[in-house]
Amino acid sequence: EAQRTDIMGETGRGQEGLGILLLVGSAVAFSTAGYFTRLIPVDVWTLLFWRGIFAGLFVMGVLVWQHGAAAWRSIPAMGLPGLAVTALSSSGMIFFIHAFRHTSVADVAIVYAAAPFVTAGIAWLWLRERPSRGTLIASAIAFVGVVVMMGGAFRLGNMLGDLFALAMTLSLSLMMVVLRRHGDRPMTAAAGLSPLLTA
């Protein structure tokens, strides 16, 4: 029993380490999106189309690689929550790319930095998950920062882009709460269908 506990503890630590590594990797990849988006000399809808096609085919390819011929079963298995995740992820990406074309990369990053606190607020309203005092304080500070930044954006004529960034943040925050609420559903298919829907 002691040996089993040790193995489970090591497995848990390994999973936590992998989770942290994936989180850091995703943050680095996500933070470069604005730079590469501005480098591509095409209109927003062309960019969204080709991004959606390649991303969707890649994720669906991974799904087939993991599950073989049974991969298609994960689509009906995700149910209505999966369709909600698909739609919210797709709308979030559309707002995300539009935001980069109408405001600065820094503005988009600052607005999206409020996503954890927006998510906590939605989770409190919907799932009745009580946020900690630290989360509430950080949420208030983030809200003040977004208000101050959007005031500057109004003077600089970047308000439309900041509103796109805010819509993206709301979409993705709501998506995270749906994922949290329905954690038992397979959602890899939603990750593949979302970019295809965007396209």
Side-chain angles (χ1 to χ4, degrees):
E1 183 64 31
Q3 184 179 9
R4 179 174 176 271
T5 302
D6 288 344
I7 291 171
M8 289 179 67
E10 290 175 7
T11 303
R13 285 192 294 271
Q15 291 284 9
E16 184 179 353
L18 177 61
I20 292 171
L21 183 64
L22 290 170
L23 183 63
V24 171
S26 68
V28 171
F30 195 76
S31 67
T32 61
Y35 173 73
F36 288 111
T37 298
R38 288 180 176 273
L39 281 182
I40 301 173
V42 297
D43 63 278
V44 172
W45 294 110
T46 301
L47 177 61
L48 284 166
F49 175 79
W50 287 111
R51 179 203 173 275
I53 292 294
F54 285 112
L57 291 177
F58 176 79
V59 175
M60 297 308 272
V62 170
L63 190 64
V64 171
W65 176 68
Q66 289 178 331
H67 302 286
W72 68 270
R73 293 178 187 165
S74 62
I75 297 176
M78 68 183 187
L80 289 177
L83 294 178
V85 168
T86 299
L88 289 166
S89 176
S90 181
S91 62
M93 184 51 56
I94 291 170
F95 291 136
F96 181 58
I97 300 299
H98 272 85
F100 282 131
R101 294 298 174 96
H102 291 89
T103 191
S104 68
V105 174
D107 277 17
V108 176
I110 291 170
V111 173
Y112 189 65
F117 314 116
V118 174
T119 305
I122 296 172
W124 176 68
L125 291 171
W126 185 6
L127 307 180
R128 296 301 176 191
E129 289 188 357
R130 292 177 61 86
S132 66
R133 180 183 298 179
T135 299
L136 291 173
I137 293 171
S139 298
I141 294 170
F143 178 75
V144 170
V146 170
V147 169
V148 169
M149 188 219 45
M150 291 190 81
F154 181 76
R155 291 192 300 273
L156 295 171
N158 294 342
M159 180 58 74
L160 180 60
D162 284 14
L163 289 174
F164 278 133
L166 185 59
M168 170 202 70
T169 301
L170 290 172
S171 295
L172 297 183
S173 295
L174 187 55
M175 181 194 73
M176 285 185 263
V177 176
V178 174
L179 287 169
R180 166 81 169 158
R181 174 67 177 81
H182 300 280
D184 58 327
R185 301 289 185 106
M187 291 292 183
T188 306
L193 291 175
S194 168
L196 293 175
L197 176 62
T198 302

